[in-house]
Amino acid sequence: MTSESSNDPPARSPVVWVGLLLVMIVAGMAIPGQGRVNAELSAETGDPFFAAFLSFFIGFVVMCLIAFLTPAGRRTMARVRPAMRSGAVKWWYLLAGCVGGYFVLTQTLTIGMIGVAVFTVAVVTGQTVGGLLWDRVGLGPGGRKHITPMRFLGAALTVIAVAWAVSPQLVGTDRELVWLLLVILPFSGGFLNAGQQALNGRQSAAYRSPIPATFFNFLAGSALLLIVWCVKLLMDGGIPGHLPTTWWYYIGGPLGIVFIAGGALLVTQVGVLIAAMGMIAGQLIGSLVLDLVVPAPGSVVTTATVLGTAMTLVAVVVASLPDMMRGRGR
């Protein structure tokens, strides 16, 4: 392992890094909020596949308004074709949103059998391993980044911190072969999610804006989930007879926009690994706030939950420390 890569982020002061960390936390906090909203929508409609599609489709509609009805949106969407012609963006980058659809499907298929806590640990482990690997192979816009001791330590601390934070919910979990096989699905979802953020970062760098990447994410994800829902209808029917009237059941899509657009922007600034770690910290903080303010049935908040959440922030600082010190030296 080498101490530094020529493609590392530019040196920044600690104050700038604190600002970037705050953006990571806000982007990450959107995910538990989206999960809670989508869970309520799924319960009301009685169809988790339809709820997932509806959430994505609402996000897609919002992105259409942003991309085509605002001056900034039209200006950045006009850069898509030139970026593809120049080779800066490959056509398959536009399919990154399918990963979001796959991630939602892993939630639907596994949480009921392995539980939220195990799901969270599996996803975070996948995101962290993916962040290390995708940075190493240069999938993100910053090119290849060596796995330095501090980056590896920060990644390991993140996984340990998340396991500690959800440990109160792991008590009594059964360990069977089927259980282990099911854990592979959320792990792969987290691993691919880190790759999705890397490709979104490449697009954002090419377009000089996260708007087109976010638009194509919701287009691809909506298309995939629509196909899955239609297959489900052909198999067993069950079209929802009515939609709930509670307005906040429909904000899952906009919350997803915050996460995807924020991640696409952050990857261009700090790389795949640190962006993933910072947003993981935001996810745990958002979950903790929700469990304290509007607790869901079965939610558990203990000292381990709070300290594990705090430890994720320490992990981000550890992984970012070499870049912070370079900034101070200039």
Side-chain angles (χ1 to χ4, degrees):
M1 293 186 289
T2 308
S3 61
E4 190 175 54
S5 165
S6 60
N7 290 312
D8 282 337
R12 300 185 181 93
S13 71
V15 174
V16 174
W17 275 102
V18 169
L20 289 170
L21 179 59
L22 290 176
V23 176
M24 297 179 214
I25 291 173
V26 170
M29 288 179 69
I31 288 301
Q34 182 190 45
R36 184 72 67 87
V37 168
N38 286 348
E40 294 290 343
L41 182 60
S42 176
E44 286 291 322
T45 61
D47 187 341
F49 291 92
F50 174 72
F53 162 69
L54 186 58
S55 176
F56 259 76
F57 184 71
I58 292 172
F60 173 63
V61 171
V62 173
M63 282 311 304
C64 284
L65 297 177
I66 294 173
F68 300 112
L69 296 184
T70 66
R74 291 193 297 269
R75 185 168 58 251
T76 55
M77 291 298 290
R79 298 172 186 157
V80 172
R81 189 168 295 177
M84 295 186 71
R85 279 201 302 262
S86 69
V89 173
K90 309 296 184 184
W91 69 266
W92 53 272
Y93 291 5
L94 307 185
L95 301 179
C98 292
V99 173
Y102 173 73
F103 183 81
V104 170
L105 290 180
T106 66
Q107 289 178 312
T108 304
L109 295 171
T110 64
I111 282 184
M113 299 185 68
I114 66 176
V116 175
V118 176
F119 178 87
T120 302
V121 173
V123 167
V124 166
T125 304
Q127 288 176 320
T128 307
V129 172
L132 281 170
L133 177 63
W134 300 132
D135 265 349
R136 184 66 188 90
V137 302
L139 188 64
R144 294 184 179 182
K145 301 180 186 299
H146 293 296
I147 303 176
T148 63
M150 295 300 283
R151 286 166 64 83
F152 183 83
L153 176 60
L157 285 176
T158 298
V159 176
I160 294 170
V162 173
W164 188 16
V166 302
S167 60
Q169 303 172 53
L170 293 173
V171 178
T173 302
D174 294 329
R175 301 295 195 274
E176 299 176 357
L177 179 59
V178 174
W179 183 92
L180 292 174
L181 292 175
L182 286 172
V183 169
I184 295 174
L185 289 175
F187 173 86
S188 64
F191 182 82
L192 293 173
N193 176 260
Q196 176 191 18
Q197 296 295 347
L199 293 180
N200 288 343
R202 275 190 175 270
Q203 293 184 69
S204 295
Y207 309 138
R208 303 191 300 279
S209 168
I211 291 177
T214 307
F215 168 81
F216 287 115
N217 267 246
F218 277 93
L219 173 60
S222 297
L224 175 64
L225 289 172
L226 177 60
I227 292 171
V228 171
W229 181 53
C230 289
V231 171
K232 182 256 184 187
L233 290 181
L234 290 175
M235 293 177 62
D236 59 11
I239 297 177
H242 70 280
L243 294 175
T245 57
T246 305
W247 66 269
W248 58 266
Y249 286 178
Y250 301 99
I251 66 172
L255 288 173
I257 291 174
V258 174
F259 175 75
I260 293 175
L265 184 62
L266 286 165
V267 167
T268 65
Q269 301 297 312
V270 299
V272 183
L273 175 64
I274 294 178
M277 289 169 55
M279 290 189 289
I280 287 167
Q283 291 175 47
L284 288 186
I285 292 171
S287 297
L288 179 60
V289 171
L290 285 174
D291 285 343
L292 291 174
V293 178
V294 282
S299 60
V300 179
V301 177
T302 67
T303 302
T305 308
V306 177
L307 293 180
T309 300
M311 187 175 172
T312 60
L313 297 174
V314 174
V316 178
V317 173
V318 168
S320 307
L321 197 57
D323 295 309
M324 293 182 185
M325 297 308 294
R326 285 193 305 115
R328 291 185 64 180
R330 293 194 175 188

